Amino acid sequence: MIDWPTFLSPDARLAFWTILCGIVCSAACAIIGCYLVLRRMSLLGDAISHAVLAGIAIAFLLTGSLGPIPVFVGAISVGLLTAFLTQSLATWGRVPEDSSMGIVFTSFFAIGVIIVSRIDGVHLDTDCVLYGSIDTAPVELATFAGFDIPHMLLTLVPMALLTVLFVTAFWKELKIASFDPLLATTMGIGASLMHYLLMAMVAGVTVASLEAVGAIVVIAMLIVPPATAHLLTDRLGWMLLWSVLIGAISAVLGYWGAVRFDTNVAGMMAVAAGAQFTLAVAFAPKHGLLSRAIGRLQLALRIASEDVIARLYRLEETMSDSGGRVDVSRAECEKYAGSGLIGWLAIPVLSRRKQLASSATGTWHLTETGRELGRSLVRSHRLWETFLDENF
């Protein structure tokens, strides 16, 4: 057995394995979580992540084993049953979808907790199930190809590869079914089949992640990086890449924060993911609060500026007494722009664009560039008025 990587110090080796487990776990969750976010089914991921506890416990009761096959079969079965019952209650029971989801997953979670806590012979660590044990990953080792690696990687890596394979194999079907289920059905793609396959993958990823981050933090890994990526891009491929990158950054920052503040690593990874989401909400280039505020300001300035140009052009048409030029005060220009801050800003904007110029007396008038724009604006407005008058 080789304690790898040998070139790192013992402390660095501990950090390496913990962060690697976090990256692999978050990558698998982020990829499958993107489809939950796009389908507006984030809470269903929450439901399945809690309900699988019942599947694990029932599988142990039936088989007497906590091996990977019984656990996965039990968890996936209960995950699919959770999705089916949630949809059935909403469709046939006329129960609101959020209520049906809450009823189903809390019931299954309660069943799992009762079995784990009360039935003799069940030796599941509830703290591990709920909060994970990624902190102990570097010391719980298994031998693979002659190397000592964290035991949880033997589950996480195959699940991550299976997730990538699933998304690659059903790329077109998942894409169409996520954005337009009705179109998928008319094209012969089984939207319901894709739905349940996706739910099975969510259950599988959840079970694989339980040992590392627990049922609570896995929700954050399923939802927060994809939601953050959704703010950064409108392309599915880039969304998947961004979500994986955000998850990896969360793993690194989470480990550093846990060491710095002496707290749970998985919890700090969720906090790091939440911090990145907060930054994206504020500063995302297209959908962030700052960019939208700038966009609204630019639109308001454009409207105010065009109002000033159009008004001065009309004045030139009706009141010209100085060779085709009309001079007005800055106060009048700001009034044409709607007054307030936008009106005050519109004048220097027009001056910088060389559409408005000031004279020695402090008045303002249109430049030739501004006059051309005014002619175009007034002409478009008159054409629109004529169209409305003739047709409506």
Side-chain angles (χ1 to χ4, degrees), residues 71-99:
V71 166
F72 268 82
V73 171
I76 289 175
S77 299
V78 172
L80 290 174
L81 185 60
T82 301
F84 174 75
L85 291 177
T86 298
Q87 191 166 348
S88 298
L89 282 175
T91 303
W92 305 109
R94 297 184 178 181
V95 178
E97 187 173 358
D98 55 346
S99 299

PDB file of all heavy atoms in Angstrom, residues 71-99:
ATOM      1  N   VAL A  71     -28.140  -0.571  -0.663  1.00  0.00           N
ATOM      2  CA  VAL A  71     -28.386   0.830  -0.308  1.00  0.00           C
ATOM      3  C   VAL A  71     -28.848   1.624  -1.526  1.00  0.00           C
ATOM      4  O   VAL A  71     -29.823   2.388  -1.472  1.00  0.00           O
ATOM      5  CB  VAL A  71     -27.113   1.455   0.301  1.00  0.00           C
ATOM      6  CG1 VAL A  71     -27.237   2.973   0.359  1.00  0.00           C
ATOM      7  CG2 VAL A  71     -26.881   0.902   1.707  1.00  0.00           C
ATOM      8  N   PHE A  72     -28.163   1.426  -2.682  1.00  0.00           N
ATOM      9  CA  PHE A  72     -28.541   2.172  -3.873  1.00  0.00           C
ATOM     10  C   PHE A  72     -29.913   1.759  -4.369  1.00  0.00           C
ATOM     11  O   PHE A  72     -30.732   2.610  -4.759  1.00  0.00           O
ATOM     12  CB  PHE A  72     -27.484   1.966  -4.973  1.00  0.00           C
ATOM     13  CG  PHE A  72     -26.421   3.022  -4.958  1.00  0.00           C
ATOM     14  CD1 PHE A  72     -25.353   2.930  -4.082  1.00  0.00           C
ATOM     15  CD2 PHE A  72     -26.481   4.101  -5.813  1.00  0.00           C
ATOM     16  CE1 PHE A  72     -24.363   3.908  -4.062  1.00  0.00           C
ATOM     17  CE2 PHE A  72     -25.503   5.081  -5.808  1.00  0.00           C
ATOM     18  CZ  PHE A  72     -24.439   4.981  -4.923  1.00  0.00           C
ATOM     19  N   VAL A  73     -30.192   0.469  -4.371  1.00  0.00           N
ATOM     20  CA  VAL A  73     -31.506   0.008  -4.841  1.00  0.00           C
ATOM     21  C   VAL A  73     -32.612   0.563  -3.944  1.00  0.00           C
ATOM     22  O   VAL A  73     -33.641   1.056  -4.425  1.00  0.00           O
ATOM     23  CB  VAL A  73     -31.548  -1.529  -4.887  1.00  0.00           C
ATOM     24  CG1 VAL A  73     -32.970  -2.015  -5.163  1.00  0.00           C
ATOM     25  CG2 VAL A  73     -30.608  -2.055  -5.956  1.00  0.00           C
ATOM     26  N   GLY A  74     -32.409   0.483  -2.630  1.00  0.00           N
ATOM     27  CA  GLY A  74     -33.418   1.001  -1.714  1.00  0.00           C
ATOM     28  C   GLY A  74     -33.609   2.496  -1.851  1.00  0.00           C
ATOM     29  O   GLY A  74     -34.740   2.992  -1.886  1.00  0.00           O
ATOM     30  N   ALA A  75     -32.514   3.227  -1.943  1.00  0.00           N
ATOM     31  CA  ALA A  75     -32.604   4.687  -2.033  1.00  0.00           C
ATOM     32  C   ALA A  75     -33.247   5.121  -3.341  1.00  0.00           C
ATOM     33  O   ALA A  75     -34.114   6.015  -3.362  1.00  0.00           O
ATOM     34  CB  ALA A  75     -31.218   5.298  -1.895  1.00  0.00           C
ATOM     35  N   ILE A  76     -32.835   4.513  -4.449  1.00  0.00           N
ATOM     36  CA  ILE A  76     -33.401   4.891  -5.744  1.00  0.00           C
ATOM     37  C   ILE A  76     -34.878   4.532  -5.797  1.00  0.00           C
ATOM     38  O   ILE A  76     -35.700   5.288  -6.343  1.00  0.00           O
ATOM     39  CB  ILE A  76     -32.610   4.217  -6.878  1.00  0.00           C
ATOM     40  CG1 ILE A  76     -31.223   4.849  -6.991  1.00  0.00           C
ATOM     41  CG2 ILE A  76     -33.344   4.339  -8.210  1.00  0.00           C
ATOM     42  CD1 ILE A  76     -30.310   4.178  -7.986  1.00  0.00           C
ATOM     43  N   SER A  77     -35.256   3.405  -5.220  1.00  0.00           N
ATOM     44  CA  SER A  77     -36.666   3.006  -5.213  1.00  0.00           C
ATOM     45  C   SER A  77     -37.518   4.026  -4.460  1.00  0.00           C
ATOM     46  O   SER A  77     -38.573   4.458  -4.948  1.00  0.00           O
ATOM     47  CB  SER A  77     -36.822   1.622  -4.579  1.00  0.00           C
ATOM     48  OG  SER A  77     -36.103   0.649  -5.310  1.00  0.00           O
ATOM     49  N   VAL A  78     -37.058   4.411  -3.281  1.00  0.00           N
ATOM     50  CA  VAL A  78     -37.813   5.393  -2.506  1.00  0.00           C
ATOM     51  C   VAL A  78     -37.765   6.765  -3.180  1.00  0.00           C
ATOM     52  O   VAL A  78     -38.752   7.518  -3.150  1.00  0.00           O
ATOM     53  CB  VAL A  78     -37.273   5.469  -1.064  1.00  0.00           C
ATOM     54  CG1 VAL A  78     -37.917   6.625  -0.302  1.00  0.00           C
ATOM     55  CG2 VAL A  78     -37.547   4.168  -0.344  1.00  0.00           C
ATOM     56  N   GLY A  79     -36.640   7.108  -3.817  1.00  0.00           N
ATOM     57  CA  GLY A  79     -36.571   8.377  -4.544  1.00  0.00           C
ATOM     58  C   GLY A  79     -37.583   8.442  -5.669  1.00  0.00           C
ATOM     59  O   GLY A  79     -38.286   9.446  -5.846  1.00  0.00           O
ATOM     60  N   LEU A  80     -37.681   7.360  -6.446  1.00  0.00           N
ATOM     61  CA  LEU A  80     -38.672   7.312  -7.522  1.00  0.00           C
ATOM     62  C   LEU A  80     -40.088   7.328  -6.960  1.00  0.00           C
ATOM     63  O   LEU A  80     -40.985   7.970  -7.522  1.00  0.00           O
ATOM     64  CB  LEU A  80     -38.451   6.062  -8.375  1.00  0.00           C
ATOM     65  CG  LEU A  80     -37.189   6.061  -9.244  1.00  0.00           C
ATOM     66  CD1 LEU A  80     -37.021   4.710  -9.912  1.00  0.00           C
ATOM     67  CD2 LEU A  80     -37.267   7.162 -10.299  1.00  0.00           C
ATOM     68  N   LEU A  81     -40.294   6.608  -5.854  1.00  0.00           N
ATOM     69  CA  LEU A  81     -41.617   6.587  -5.231  1.00  0.00           C
ATOM     70  C   LEU A  81     -41.992   7.982  -4.729  1.00  0.00           C
ATOM     71  O   LEU A  81     -43.164   8.399  -4.836  1.00  0.00           O
ATOM     72  CB  LEU A  81     -41.622   5.587  -4.076  1.00  0.00           C
ATOM     73  CG  LEU A  81     -42.975   5.357  -3.378  1.00  0.00           C
ATOM     74  CD1 LEU A  81     -44.003   4.844  -4.375  1.00  0.00           C
ATOM     75  CD2 LEU A  81     -42.820   4.382  -2.221  1.00  0.00           C
ATOM     76  N   THR A  82     -41.019   8.719  -4.210  1.00  0.00           N
ATOM     77  CA  THR A  82     -41.274  10.093  -3.764  1.00  0.00           C
ATOM     78  C   THR A  82     -41.725  10.968  -4.931  1.00  0.00           C
ATOM     79  O   THR A  82     -42.713  11.710  -4.826  1.00  0.00           O
ATOM     80  CB  THR A  82     -40.005  10.691  -3.128  1.00  0.00           C
ATOM     81  OG1 THR A  82     -39.613   9.897  -2.020  1.00  0.00           O
ATOM     82  CG2 THR A  82     -40.247  12.123  -2.681  1.00  0.00           C
ATOM     83  N   ALA A  83     -41.015  10.882  -6.053  1.00  0.00           N
ATOM     84  CA  ALA A  83     -41.386  11.669  -7.228  1.00  0.00           C
ATOM     85  C   ALA A  83     -42.766  11.263  -7.745  1.00  0.00           C
ATOM     86  O   ALA A  83     -43.585  12.117  -8.107  1.00  0.00           O
ATOM     87  CB  ALA A  83     -40.339  11.486  -8.322  1.00  0.00           C
ATOM     88  N   PHE A  84     -43.041   9.942  -7.768  1.00  0.00           N
ATOM     89  CA  PHE A  84     -44.329   9.456  -8.274  1.00  0.00           C
ATOM     90  C   PHE A  84     -45.488   9.907  -7.380  1.00  0.00           C
ATOM     91  O   PHE A  84     -46.511  10.393  -7.862  1.00  0.00           O
ATOM     92  CB  PHE A  84     -44.299   7.927  -8.373  1.00  0.00           C
ATOM     93  CG  PHE A  84     -45.615   7.317  -8.746  1.00  0.00           C
ATOM     94  CD1 PHE A  84     -46.077   7.381 -10.056  1.00  0.00           C
ATOM     95  CD2 PHE A  84     -46.402   6.694  -7.783  1.00  0.00           C
ATOM     96  CE1 PHE A  84     -47.304   6.831 -10.399  1.00  0.00           C
ATOM     97  CE2 PHE A  84     -47.618   6.141  -8.116  1.00  0.00           C
ATOM     98  CZ  PHE A  84     -48.079   6.205  -9.429  1.00  0.00           C
ATOM     99  N   LEU A  85     -45.327   9.742  -6.074  1.00  0.00           N
ATOM    100  CA  LEU A  85     -46.403  10.119  -5.163  1.00  0.00           C
ATOM    101  C   LEU A  85     -46.633  11.629  -5.152  1.00  0.00           C
ATOM    102  O   LEU A  85     -47.775  12.093  -5.072  1.00  0.00           O
ATOM    103  CB  LEU A  85     -46.078   9.628  -3.746  1.00  0.00           C
ATOM    104  CG  LEU A  85     -46.112   8.112  -3.526  1.00  0.00           C
ATOM    105  CD1 LEU A  85     -45.710   7.776  -2.101  1.00  0.00           C
ATOM    106  CD2 LEU A  85     -47.501   7.552  -3.842  1.00  0.00           C
ATOM    107  N   THR A  86     -45.544  12.384  -5.251  1.00  0.00           N
ATOM    108  CA  THR A  86     -45.692  13.843  -5.295  1.00  0.00           C
ATOM    109  C   THR A  86     -46.494  14.278  -6.512  1.00  0.00           C
ATOM    110  O   THR A  86     -47.435  15.083  -6.419  1.00  0.00           O
ATOM    111  CB  THR A  86     -44.305  14.512  -5.319  1.00  0.00           C
ATOM    112  OG1 THR A  86     -43.597  14.182  -4.129  1.00  0.00           O
ATOM    113  CG2 THR A  86     -44.424  16.021  -5.431  1.00  0.00           C
ATOM    114  N   GLN A  87     -46.151  13.715  -7.670  1.00  0.00           N
ATOM    115  CA  GLN A  87     -46.856  14.072  -8.899  1.00  0.00           C
ATOM    116  C   GLN A  87     -48.285  13.546  -8.882  1.00  0.00           C
ATOM    117  O   GLN A  87     -49.207  14.222  -9.351  1.00  0.00           O
ATOM    118  CB  GLN A  87     -46.097  13.515 -10.111  1.00  0.00           C
ATOM    119  CG  GLN A  87     -46.592  14.048 -11.440  1.00  0.00           C
ATOM    120  CD  GLN A  87     -45.631  13.746 -12.574  1.00  0.00           C
ATOM    121  OE1 GLN A  87     -44.506  13.333 -12.343  1.00  0.00           O
ATOM    122  NE2 GLN A  87     -46.072  13.947 -13.792  1.00  0.00           N
ATOM    123  N   SER A  88     -48.490  12.354  -8.335  1.00  0.00           N
ATOM    124  CA  SER A  88     -49.832  11.772  -8.293  1.00  0.00           C
ATOM    125  C   SER A  88     -50.755  12.581  -7.391  1.00  0.00           C
ATOM    126  O   SER A  88     -51.919  12.829  -7.737  1.00  0.00           O
ATOM    127  CB  SER A  88     -49.764  10.321  -7.810  1.00  0.00           C
ATOM    128  OG  SER A  88     -49.010   9.532  -8.700  1.00  0.00           O
ATOM    129  N   LEU A  89     -50.255  12.980  -6.220  1.00  0.00           N
ATOM    130  CA  LEU A  89     -51.075  13.783  -5.320  1.00  0.00           C
ATOM    131  C   LEU A  89     -51.447  15.123  -5.953  1.00  0.00           C
ATOM    132  O   LEU A  89     -52.574  15.601  -5.804  1.00  0.00           O
ATOM    133  CB  LEU A  89     -50.332  14.027  -4.005  1.00  0.00           C
ATOM    134  CG  LEU A  89     -50.313  12.874  -2.998  1.00  0.00           C
ATOM    135  CD1 LEU A  89     -49.433  13.239  -1.810  1.00  0.00           C
ATOM    136  CD2 LEU A  89     -51.719  12.556  -2.525  1.00  0.00           C
ATOM    137  N   ALA A  90     -50.475  15.711  -6.672  1.00  0.00           N
ATOM    138  CA  ALA A  90     -50.747  16.996  -7.308  1.00  0.00           C
ATOM    139  C   ALA A  90     -51.723  16.853  -8.467  1.00  0.00           C
ATOM    140  O   ALA A  90     -52.588  17.710  -8.684  1.00  0.00           O
ATOM    141  CB  ALA A  90     -49.448  17.624  -7.789  1.00  0.00           C
ATOM    142  N   THR A  91     -51.609  15.741  -9.224  1.00  0.00           N
ATOM    143  CA  THR A  91     -52.434  15.571 -10.423  1.00  0.00           C
ATOM    144  C   THR A  91     -53.827  15.031 -10.093  1.00  0.00           C
ATOM    145  O   THR A  91     -54.844  15.573 -10.548  1.00  0.00           O
ATOM    146  CB  THR A  91     -51.741  14.617 -11.415  1.00  0.00           C
ATOM    147  OG1 THR A  91     -50.445  15.135 -11.718  1.00  0.00           O
ATOM    148  CG2 THR A  91     -52.556  14.486 -12.689  1.00  0.00           C
ATOM    149  N   TRP A  92     -53.855  13.949  -9.303  1.00  0.00           N
ATOM    150  CA  TRP A  92     -55.121  13.261  -9.055  1.00  0.00           C
ATOM    151  C   TRP A  92     -55.757  13.653  -7.734  1.00  0.00           C
ATOM    152  O   TRP A  92     -56.995  13.589  -7.606  1.00  0.00           O
ATOM    153  CB  TRP A  92     -54.899  11.747  -9.078  1.00  0.00           C
ATOM    154  CG  TRP A  92     -54.261  11.277 -10.339  1.00  0.00           C
ATOM    155  CD1 TRP A  92     -52.984  10.818 -10.497  1.00  0.00           C
ATOM    156  CD2 TRP A  92     -54.838  11.241 -11.645  1.00  0.00           C
ATOM    157  NE1 TRP A  92     -52.727  10.496 -11.794  1.00  0.00           N
ATOM    158  CE2 TRP A  92     -53.863  10.739 -12.532  1.00  0.00           C
ATOM    159  CE3 TRP A  92     -56.091  11.572 -12.148  1.00  0.00           C
ATOM    160  CZ2 TRP A  92     -54.094  10.584 -13.886  1.00  0.00           C
ATOM    161  CZ3 TRP A  92     -56.335  11.409 -13.503  1.00  0.00           C
ATOM    162  CH2 TRP A  92     -55.344  10.927 -14.364  1.00  0.00           C
ATOM    163  N   GLY A  93     -54.961  14.034  -6.760  1.00  0.00           N
ATOM    164  CA  GLY A  93     -55.526  14.395  -5.467  1.00  0.00           C
ATOM    165  C   GLY A  93     -55.856  15.856  -5.332  1.00  0.00           C
ATOM    166  O   GLY A  93     -56.364  16.286  -4.292  1.00  0.00           O
ATOM    167  N   ARG A  94     -55.543  16.648  -6.362  1.00  0.00           N
ATOM    168  CA  ARG A  94     -55.806  18.089  -6.356  1.00  0.00           C
ATOM    169  C   ARG A  94     -55.179  18.771  -5.139  1.00  0.00           C
ATOM    170  O   ARG A  94     -55.743  19.705  -4.565  1.00  0.00           O
ATOM    171  CB  ARG A  94     -57.309  18.363  -6.410  1.00  0.00           C
ATOM    172  CG  ARG A  94     -57.966  17.872  -7.689  1.00  0.00           C
ATOM    173  CD  ARG A  94     -59.420  18.240  -7.764  1.00  0.00           C
ATOM    174  NE  ARG A  94     -60.020  17.793  -9.015  1.00  0.00           N
ATOM    175  CZ  ARG A  94     -61.297  18.005  -9.352  1.00  0.00           C
ATOM    176  NH1 ARG A  94     -62.095  18.660  -8.527  1.00  0.00           N
ATOM    177  NH2 ARG A  94     -61.760  17.555 -10.505  1.00  0.00           N
ATOM    178  N   VAL A  95     -54.016  18.268  -4.781  1.00  0.00           N
ATOM    179  CA  VAL A  95     -53.243  18.882  -3.706  1.00  0.00           C
ATOM    180  C   VAL A  95     -52.173  19.764  -4.350  1.00  0.00           C
ATOM    181  O   VAL A  95     -51.543  19.345  -5.321  1.00  0.00           O
ATOM    182  CB  VAL A  95     -52.575  17.794  -2.828  1.00  0.00           C
ATOM    183  CG1 VAL A  95     -51.728  18.427  -1.733  1.00  0.00           C
ATOM    184  CG2 VAL A  95     -53.629  16.874  -2.243  1.00  0.00           C
ATOM    185  N   PRO A  96     -51.974  20.993  -3.875  1.00  0.00           N
ATOM    186  CA  PRO A  96     -50.904  21.827  -4.444  1.00  0.00           C
ATOM    187  C   PRO A  96     -49.571  21.092  -4.434  1.00  0.00           C
ATOM    188  O   PRO A  96     -49.279  20.330  -3.504  1.00  0.00           O
ATOM    189  CB  PRO A  96     -50.886  23.053  -3.524  1.00  0.00           C
ATOM    190  CG  PRO A  96     -52.265  23.115  -2.958  1.00  0.00           C
ATOM    191  CD  PRO A  96     -52.726  21.692  -2.822  1.00  0.00           C
ATOM    192  N   GLU A  97     -48.772  21.319  -5.482  1.00  0.00           N
ATOM    193  CA  GLU A  97     -47.541  20.550  -5.636  1.00  0.00           C
ATOM    194  C   GLU A  97     -46.597  20.726  -4.465  1.00  0.00           C
ATOM    195  O   GLU A  97     -45.974  19.757  -4.010  1.00  0.00           O
ATOM    196  CB  GLU A  97     -46.844  20.953  -6.936  1.00  0.00           C
ATOM    197  CG  GLU A  97     -45.653  20.081  -7.266  1.00  0.00           C
ATOM    198  CD  GLU A  97     -45.083  20.370  -8.632  1.00  0.00           C
ATOM    199  OE1 GLU A  97     -45.647  21.231  -9.337  1.00  0.00           O
ATOM    200  OE2 GLU A  97     -44.076  19.747  -8.990  1.00  0.00           O
ATOM    201  N   ASP A  98     -46.477  21.954  -3.947  1.00  0.00           N
ATOM    202  CA  ASP A  98     -45.578  22.147  -2.820  1.00  0.00           C
ATOM    203  C   ASP A  98     -46.079  21.421  -1.573  1.00  0.00           C
ATOM    204  O   ASP A  98     -45.294  20.859  -0.798  1.00  0.00           O
ATOM    205  CB  ASP A  98     -45.382  23.637  -2.537  1.00  0.00           C
ATOM    206  CG  ASP A  98     -46.699  24.375  -2.322  1.00  0.00           C
ATOM    207  OD1 ASP A  98     -47.759  23.806  -2.645  1.00  0.00           O
ATOM    208  OD2 ASP A  98     -46.667  25.522  -1.839  1.00  0.00           O
ATOM    209  N   SER A  99     -47.405  21.393  -1.398  1.00  0.00           N
ATOM    210  CA  SER A  99     -47.962  20.678  -0.248  1.00  0.00           C
ATOM    211  C   SER A  99     -47.765  19.179  -0.375  1.00  0.00           C
ATOM    212  O   SER A  99     -47.403  18.498   0.598  1.00  0.00           O
ATOM    213  CB  SER A  99     -49.461  20.995  -0.116  1.00  0.00           C
ATOM    214  OG  SER A  99     -49.673  22.374   0.088  1.00  0.00           O
TER     215      SER A  99
END
